[in-house]
Amino acid sequence: MTRLVLSVVSVLLLGTSLMSACAQSQRQNTIHASVVLVDGARGAFVPWDVAHQQGIVDADKAAGKSREEVQADIATYRATQEKIKEGFTVAYRALSIAALQNDDPSLTTAISQSAALVDDVKKLMGSK
Amino acid sequence: MSTSATDNAVQALTIAAAALKALEVVADAGRGILASVQTTSEITAVLEGLVGLADAVQRGLQGTETPASIEALILELSNSLADNNATIDTDIDKKFPAG
């Protein structure tokens, strides 16, 4: 009887650890996908950023603006660039925390911050 | 097929399915971002950036993210934007000389 109980408990524990392994694998895949998403947004944003700044410089030159004026226009854009950069940092770090932990809140936070960051990048790149 | 071989096959298929899903997510992000830009030069820049998505996908499929690898991505972004800004500052100096 004791052997039977121990066998049943062993099977239950094995089943639980296998399920945990599957759930962990799924968690890692989800984190993978989010990192790829954020990385993709980064891959699109960086070249757009320099082209956008170049557009500001060229437009200001064509408009006959002064050096101080173009520097002010660039500084205005770079304040937004800094916010986007901060958004990437927050999203990446949330993913890093989710990769280290095993709870739902850290994963949910990482996914939502990644999605919010991609949305912000899209909005910026779609605005003038 | 033995039970362990079947399990391994199932796990391999699960990982492959997740990888394909990740590619789909990247493609969607790329399409969405491309639909948002307006000028020709920005579209060109985004298309060039999308080529970099292949690297991002490859990196994403290679293994589990670690805090160190993610910190490296943050640093890479910071360096890329600093390079962009330096390029623009040089161009401003050329087109709007001081004094």
Side-chain angles (χ1 to χ4, degrees), chain A residues 32 36 54 58 67 93 126, chain B residues 26 36 60 63 71 91 95-96:
Chain A
H32 258 314
V36 170
Q54 193 64 66
D58 292 344
R67 179 183 170 88
R93 292 231 163 104
Chain B
V26 167
S36 301
E71 282 300 315
D91 195 55
K95 289 177 179 160
F96 301 85

Side-chain angles (χ1 to χ4, degrees), chain B residues 3-87:
Chain B
T3 304
S4 62
T6 305
D7 290 343
N8 288 342
V10 166
Q11 192 181 28
L13 283 170
T14 305
I15 289 169
L20 285 170
K21 184 68 187 168
L23 279 171
E24 195 183 296
V25 165
V26 167
D28 278 347
R31 270 197 295 274
I33 288 169
L34 199 55
S36 301
V37 297
Q38 297 190 8
T39 69
T40 305
S41 60
E42 287 173 353
I43 290 171
T44 304
V46 168
L47 286 171
E48 286 170 358
L50 286 171
V51 169
L53 280 176
D55 286 338
V57 169
Q58 192 174 6
R59 232 184 335 235
L61 294 173
Q62 275 172 357
T64 307
E65 277 69 31
T66 64
S69 69
I70 290 174
E71 282 300 315
L73 295 174
I74 295 171
L75 185 60
E76 208 174 306
L77 172 67
S78 184
N79 289 341
S80 295
L81 292 179
D83 286 345
N84 282 357
N85 292 349
T87 298

Side-chain angles (χ1 to χ4, degrees), chain A residues 12-88:
Chain A
L12 282 173
L13 281 173
L14 180 64
T16 307
S17 68
L18 280 175
M19 281 171 59
S20 296
C22 286
Q24 186 59 24
S25 177
Q26 208 164 19
R27 182 187 178 88
Q28 285 172 0
N29 290 339
T30 302
I31 294 170
H32 258 314
S34 295
V35 170
V36 170
L37 181 68
V38 173
D39 237 20
R42 178 173 65 94
F45 176 65
V46 168
W48 177 89
D49 169 76
V50 72
H52 184 71
Q53 290 193 66
Q54 193 64 66
I56 292 171
V57 171
D58 292 344
D60 281 3
K61 179 74 178 170
K65 286 193 179 181
S66 67
R67 179 183 170 88
E68 289 72 29
E69 284 171 321
V70 72
Q71 284 174 330
D73 287 344
I74 287 293
T76 300
Y77 166 72
R78 284 183 186 168
T80 305
Q81 180 202 67
E82 189 60 32
K83 285 183 190 157
I84 293 292
K85 188 174 99 170
E86 182 60 29
F88 273 105

